Amino acid sequence: METELSKKLGVEHAIFGFTPFPAVAAAITRAGGFGVLGAVRYTAPDELARDLDWMAEHTDGKPYGLDVVMPAKKVEGVTEADVEAMIPEGHRRYVEETLAKHGVPELAEGEASGWRITGWMEEVARNQLDVAFDYPIKLLANALGSPPADVIARAHDHGVLVAALAGSARHARRHAEAGIDIVVAQGYEAGGHTGEIASMVLVPEVVDAVHPLPVLAAGGIGSGAQIAAGLALGAQGAWLGSIWLTTEEADLHSRALTAKLLAAGSGDTVRSRALTGKPARQLRTEWTDAWDDPSGPGTLPMPLQGLLVAEAVSRIQKYEIGPLLGTPVGQIVGRMTSERSVQAVFDDLTRGFERAVDRLHRIAGRSSRS
């Protein structure tokens, strides 16, 4: 499953695996793909350094990358406390009322509320990059589009390629104009932040829009046949995220959440602003229903919503409150029916790819003789 891009990056298979778990990212790289570690949950530079140290020791010298969440436009002088002060009291009350309705216990006195979605902030994201560029990463991906121009230049100075996610051809053209190296065309089916155009339509549009830049197909991909389809549409690889959530190496810290993912069908997700303030595909739960209810106060814009619900999400996850328990995940969740190792998933992807390509070769052979 080699393409021009995979050869450039020195990987055997053009499978790019995004994950918040270092063990999963490292396993993807060891299997012959390209592991990409999500950095948004790291608010302290030493925590990211610790996990990148671990990655360096467990990737057998093979390449891997980092995904950050960084806005293209710089906002000067805004602190987390400043943003917290913008959250209306009515929204805070709604959070507590919803939690109380489901009997969600408080955190213990002095207990931290878990990770907060602050990686969007200029200072946090740049601190992550100060750490990352001390490691042999080969790719820097940005989930909020093109990173600032100076970040792109800094990455290139370190010999690091820059990728940006796009949900439309218009977004992709902006990325190309900004000087990024790879566009990830992420369709509507994807988990997390995603646009409104389905992958089958989006991928060829983006390929045409940014030619000759390489494009990765993303959104709802979890089989070898789908990877083959992405390459047939002009992509030079596939970007997979959700499929790794139920691998043995993933660390969801919740057996109940894993069980919900394994039981979910492809129709059990929803694009909701409940988690971050931007539309993000996730498991549909009574928590997402509450925020999408017209009788409620509605969600706040990013990053206010993420800060508002951070402690609530931590409480829901810690106490495994079933009706409220969820996570970002794509429509591919319907294929995630058993816990397997990353290697087993990877083997299934490569075998499925080979079968799909062989099938097309047979069809093309018959067509050429007719």
Side-chain angles (χ1 to χ4, degrees):
M1 202 186 300
E2 285 187 332
T3 65
E4 183 178 343
L5 178 60
S6 68
K7 292 177 182 177
K8 183 175 183 178
L9 287 167
V11 295
E12 182 180 359
H13 299 293
I15 297 175
F16 295 73
F18 164 79
T19 174
F21 307 117
V24 175
I28 292 168
T29 286
R30 290 198 305 273
F34 192 97
V36 181
L37 178 65
V40 70
R41 67 192 181 99
Y42 296 99
T43 56
D46 60 331
E47 294 175 354
L48 178 58
R50 176 201 63 205
D51 283 355
L52 287 177
D53 281 335
W54 190 93
M55 287 277 293
E57 295 171 2
H58 292 83
T59 46
D60 299 338
K62 297 179 179 179
Y64 57 92
L66 190 74
D67 179 278
V68 298
V69 178
M70 193 174 199
K73 295 181 180 178
K74 186 173 182 178
V75 180
E76 297 280 5
V78 178
T79 67
E80 185 176 335
D82 294 331
V83 178
E84 286 269 15
M86 301 177 190
I87 298 174
E89 284 303 315
H91 282 73
R92 295 187 189 276
R93 286 196 300 272
Y94 188 70
V95 169
E96 290 306 320
E97 290 167 359
T98 304
L99 295 177
K101 177 182 176 182
H102 292 273
V104 182
E106 298 274 358
L107 295 175
E109 186 176 351
E111 183 177 357
S113 63
W115 69 275
R116 295 160 68 81
I117 303 173
T118 55
W120 63 273
M121 296 184 71
E122 188 78 15
E123 181 181 358
V124 174
R126 288 185 179 274
N127 286 341
Q128 291 172 348
L129 295 180
D130 289 341
V131 172
F133 288 132
D134 286 336
Y135 291 85
I137 63 170
K138 299 299 182 184
L139 176 71
L140 176 67
N142 190 34
L144 285 183
S146 304
D150 68 296
V151 172
I152 296 174
R154 186 179 178 191
H156 289 165
D157 287 344
H158 282 82
V160 176
L161 297 182
V162 179
L165 275 66
S168 70
R170 176 170 54 87
H171 293 155
R173 290 189 192 96
R174 289 179 184 172
H175 298 341
E177 292 167 359
I180 64 95
D181 306 290
I182 302 166
V183 175
V184 181
Q186 180 168 278
Y188 171 85
E189 308 94 326
H193 295 130
T194 184
E196 299 182 352
I197 304 174
S199 300
M200 185 63 71
V201 174
L202 178 66
V203 173
E205 284 187 353
V206 171
V207 168
D208 290 344
V210 301
H211 180 79
L213 283 184
V215 173
L216 299 177
I221 299 177
S223 74
Q226 290 173 306
I227 295 174
L231 298 188
L233 293 173
Q236 289 201 31
W239 177 278
L240 287 69
S242 297
I243 196 71
W244 315 109
L245 287 173
T246 52
T247 56
E248 294 167 356
E249 293 88 346
D251 189 13
L252 287 177
H253 297 296
S254 172
R255 295 303 305 170
L257 180 53
T258 298
K260 287 190 76 170
L261 287 169
L262 295 174
S266 57
D268 292 329
T269 68
V270 63
R271 281 174 77 242
S272 171
R273 298 178 184 268
L275 186 60
T276 68
K278 284 183 175 290
R281 185 170 297 284
Q282 54 203 282
L283 283 179
R284 182 177 180 180
T285 66
E286 292 189 28
W287 179 254
T288 61
D289 287 349
W291 285 104
D292 294 337
D293 188 337
S295 66
T299 56
L300 297 170
M302 188 179 189
L304 300 181
Q305 182 72 14
L307 293 173
L308 169 67
V309 305
E311 181 177 327
V313 171
S314 293
R315 288 165 61 184
I316 291 166
Q317 292 176 344
K318 176 179 178 178
Y319 299 111
E320 298 189 328
I321 309 301
L324 304 178
L325 190 62
T327 186
V329 69
Q331 291 180 330
I332 198 63
V333 69
R335 292 186 63 95
M336 296 155 52
T337 57
S338 64
E339 288 185 80
R340 298 180 292 167
S341 68
V342 168
Q343 184 66 62
V345 173
F346 210 91
D347 290 344
D348 185 57
L349 292 172
T350 54
R351 285 194 297 265
F353 176 83
E354 291 172 356
R355 289 194 297 270
V357 172
D358 287 344
R359 184 164 58 248
L360 292 176
H361 282 164
R362 290 195 298 273
I363 292 171
R366 286 196 295 271
S367 298
S368 64
R369 292 192 297 272
S370 60

